[in-house]
Amino acid sequence: MTGPGAPWGLAIDGGVKIAVDEINQAGGLDVGDKKYKVQVLTYDDHYKAADAVTATNRLIDQDEVKYIIGPIGSASVMAMKPITERNKVIMLSNNYSTEALDANTQYMFRVLPTQYEYNRQLIGWLKQERPELKRLAILSPNDATGWSTQKIQTAAYKDAGYDVAETKFFERSQNDFRTLLTSILAKNVDFNLSADPSSEPYQKRSQAYAKIHSNSMDDFVFYFYDATRLLFKAIHEAGTVDDTDAVRARIQANSSFDGIQGAIVWGGKDVYGVNHQIATPAYLGVIEGGKAKVINKFDAR
């Protein structure tokens, strides 16, 4: 909620609360023969693994929470995962580390796609639509997320025949990129390396988000809005709010889900050893006149 990951954390909080407000206004969550009003407890990990652990222990031991949505960031997720797995707490999170998901993962689900899910589609689009582009630079944050994503991206673009002229890391607290960009541009690169802002669902949730937080809505709102709805569906189908094994089974059984922007599917076994990786529609955009414009959509696979 604060710190270098704040825009994403606020988006998670906003997406969850929009979904919760919708179901509470509809009378509550139907589970068996009962209706439940859903309550959200939000804690700030400041984008730090140690604070994430503190918050997780408080949520489980004091608040008796069985479902955690978030956090954002590989370091926090990997620090929390042993605790949530041991306590059978379902965690719907985001991170980009290849180590966060493995064949032994039971209760954690990754609700945002990673480079593995879309590199092939993005590179295929570039080769077809921008064949003149040959050299690129990859700029990534200097943390567990950036280390993993840069490794994956570099290998993917090199395998596709691109010249990766420069790879650089930056600190999350950094706000002056002139030195980095000067270095990248000196390499004569062609290009540097997610919801359609013109769509009705985007506009509607943007208005709802403005009632919760004062910052501009981030696209991450949609991922966690859908993740919350998916969790509600699984709880309803399982007929229990307490048995997380039953709820987990229902999440896994829903191999596809109708998300706010299209079909969502679960996969990942070939890459991670478990089908706990979500794939959603993704949008390729450009900035024109200071506004985002969608130029292509990749459907979930």
Side-chain angles (χ1 to χ4, degrees), residues 202-212 217:
Y202 192 104
Q203 298 300 323
K204 182 178 180 180
R205 272 70 193 186
S206 180
Q207 294 171 10
Y209 182 84
K211 298 176 182 178
I212 302 171
M217 186 180 72

Side-chain angles (χ1 to χ4, degrees), residues 10 37 57 96 108 162 193 284 299:
L10 292 169
K37 182 178 180 181
N57 286 327
Y96 294 112
M108 190 195 87
Y162 285 96
L193 298 161
L284 183 62
D299 290 322

Side-chain angles (χ1 to χ4, degrees), residues 51-232:
D51 291 347
V53 169
T54 300
T56 304
N57 286 327
R58 180 177 178 182
L59 284 166
I60 295 172
D61 296 336
Q62 297 182 28
D63 301 320
E64 300 182 345
V65 161
K66 295 184 180 296
Y67 308 98
I68 295 177
I69 302 179
I72 182 78
S74 299
S76 289
V77 170
M78 289 191 289
M80 292 169 59
K81 184 183 175 184
I83 305 171
T84 55
E85 291 284 301
R86 183 171 64 249
N87 287 277
K88 296 186 176 183
V89 169
I90 290 177
M91 178 166 62
L92 304 176
S93 69
N94 174 59
N95 65 87
Y96 294 112
S97 172
T98 54
E99 291 80 19
L101 271 184
D102 57 35
N104 296 319
T105 302
Q106 296 187 65
Y107 299 93
M108 190 195 87
F109 295 82
R110 186 153 53 196
V111 298
L112 270 80
T114 74
Q115 285 76 17
Y116 272 123
E117 283 65 61
Y118 289 106
N119 264 339
R120 185 176 64 178
Q121 289 170 281
L122 176 58
I123 291 171
W125 183 91
L126 285 169
K127 281 186 167 292
Q128 179 175 332
E129 302 294 332
R130 300 288 190 272
E132 73 279 7
L133 302 179
K134 304 295 182 183
R135 288 167 59 82
L136 72 142
I138 301 175
L139 184 60
S140 310
N142 188 24
D143 55 25
T145 296
W147 305 331
S148 179
T149 57
Q150 188 169 112
K151 181 180 178 180
I152 295 168
Q153 286 180 316
T154 300
Y157 280 93
K158 284 184 176 179
D159 288 346
Y162 285 96
D163 178 12
V164 181
E166 185 80 295
T167 56
K168 290 282 189 179
F169 291 101
F170 65 91
E171 300 303 324
R172 291 284 189 183
S173 58
Q174 188 168 339
N175 53 28
D176 186 347
F177 286 83
R178 285 174 294 184
T179 301
L180 271 176
L181 292 176
T182 299
S183 172
I184 288 172
L185 293 174
K187 300 291 184 177
N188 295 316
V189 300
D190 296 317
F191 61 106
N192 301 284
L193 298 161
S194 273
D196 183 355
S198 65
S199 68
E200 185 274 335
Y202 192 104
Q203 298 300 323
K204 182 178 180 180
R205 272 70 193 186
S206 180
Q207 294 171 10
Y209 182 84
K211 298 176 182 178
I212 302 171
H213 295 300
S214 60
N215 66 311
S216 297
M217 186 180 72
D218 187 281
D219 292 353
F220 274 35
V221 165
F222 292 96
Y223 293 111
F224 288 91
Y225 170 83
D226 278 337
T228 306
R229 292 174 59 240
L230 190 153
L231 175 61
F232 290 161

